[in-house]
Amino acid sequence: SYIVSNLIDDILNIDPDIIHIADLWFNAISVIKSLMPERPVIGWLHSYAHVCYYVSTAIYYNYQNICSECKLNRCILRHNTQNINIKNIRSILRAFATPFEYIYARNKMNQYKKSLLMADALIVPSNYAKEHTLRFIPELAPLIRVIPNPIPEELNYIQPEEHDGFTLIYMGGDDVSKGVLNLLKAIKMAILKNPEIKLYMTKINDNSWVRQFIIYNKLQNNVYTYPRLSIEELQKLFKQVDALIAPSLWPETFLQVIIEANLMGRIAISTPIGAPREIIVEGLNGFFVNSFNVNLLAHGILNIAKIPKKYLWDMGHKAHDYVISKFNNEKIIEMYMNLYKNLMENNNIIYRNT
């Protein structure tokens, strides 16, 4: 509440023509519209927090049926029951409080819905994000615009250097919903058949459970971890990389790392759910693998590792050209500007072309 109140004060002092809330400040929309009803407000929906109390429900449910019929009370109960396995007294108490948590969560979701309906426009980064949102709040259909995230222009094609073996890079941190646990298990299986497979992992701190898993399973010769890297450090590392792997277990709304890898001339390997299906054209800029089954994931990695490097690097060249043409920043910026202009015209605000 303190942060939102300061945000509102800043907006009132600035008196902008358009207010674009580029984060999860859903409830701020209703407050702003009550204070400045004549000003257009745009919301940016880049996750599922507005429709799902537990954003990564794919961890607990079969991904093919994820959220097809939202049963929030069952979702919360499943989550809390999972926590009891840790033998944590707080988790046990929380499980007993499931009915009260359900009431709180449902109220929270209803608040988000009311606030979002007050917006003049809502931006989502992919068609999947739009479809998923409308399954729960179909009333938002007239407000939603699909505008991809701008691509980072500082990432250029990186010429690969000759190196032994087959090297993957994973850039999703240690969030289990990103498929990192299944990935580590699959790598452990894959190196038994191909010891030259290597995995670089970024956004992994020294005290992460990922580090403990690597040490416990004696994977230090094949799996290397790094903290969050600068652009320069990442580009240097990519010289030794053959492909990016992003084995998410939940339907991503965009998955920017695929585009980042393609920009640097590397193919992307991902799960065929969510927005990656709109980004990856199999055989052109990447491949799909089953990240939910460790055996199939290991099998997919081994099969891709058999592809000659020259072929993979040629694919990387095509991937670079493909994402630049599909996710062209000039087109994306034009989409934003057209939306701003239309909202200003609809609200009789004079556009100042400076």
Side-chain angles (χ1 to χ4, degrees), residues 120-288:
D120 295 89
L122 298 169
I123 295 173
V124 294
S126 65
N127 289 314
Y128 182 86
K130 175 182 177 179
E131 293 166 5
H132 191 79
T133 295
L134 294 181
R135 286 163 69 183
F136 294 93
I137 317 178
E139 302 95 317
L140 296 179
L143 303 177
I144 292 185
R145 309 289 188 276
V146 178
I147 303 180
N149 296 341
I151 63 175
E153 294 185 334
E154 65 272 19
L155 293 179
N156 300 313
Y157 177 83
I158 304 297
Q159 182 67 35
E161 294 179 350
E162 291 289 342
H163 57 274
D164 296 330
F166 175 70
T167 304
L168 292 166
I169 188 168
Y170 164 84
M171 301 194 295
D174 60 6
D175 185 344
V176 178
S177 69
K178 296 288 186 179
V180 59
L181 180 57
N182 283 5
L183 175 60
L184 288 168
K185 290 179 179 178
I187 290 293
K188 181 181 177 181
M189 294 177 60
I191 61 178
L192 295 176
K193 294 185 177 181
N194 185 348
E196 292 193 337
I197 291 177
K198 293 181 180 179
L199 174 65
Y200 295 155
M201 308 181 74
T202 67
K203 301 178 184 177
I204 306 295
N205 297 323
D206 290 338
N207 59 350
S208 170
W209 66 266
V210 171
R211 288 286 308 150
Q212 298 172 17
F213 184 97
I214 293 168
I215 294 169
Y216 180 80
N217 291 278
K218 300 179 180 179
L219 300 176
Q220 297 95 319
N221 293 331
N222 296 85
V223 182
Y224 304 86
T225 63
Y226 302 86
R228 183 180 294 273
L229 301 178
S230 66
I231 298 271
E232 294 75 18
E233 292 170 330
L234 189 63
Q235 289 176 326
K236 182 178 180 181
L237 188 62
F238 257 76
K239 293 179 179 180
Q240 300 291 321
V241 167
D242 298 307
L244 167 107
I245 186 161
S248 286
L249 300 180
W250 75 296
E252 301 276 358
T253 58
F254 194 65
L255 205 52
Q256 184 95 356
V257 292
I258 292 177
I259 293 175
E260 292 173 356
N262 285 174
L263 283 173
M264 290 187 279
R266 301 301 183 272
I267 65 165
I269 304 167
S270 191
T271 317
I273 57 172
R277 289 181 299 180
E278 301 173 36
I279 303 174
I280 293 178
V281 177
E282 195 155 28
L284 173 64
N285 65 326
F287 297 102
F288 289 119

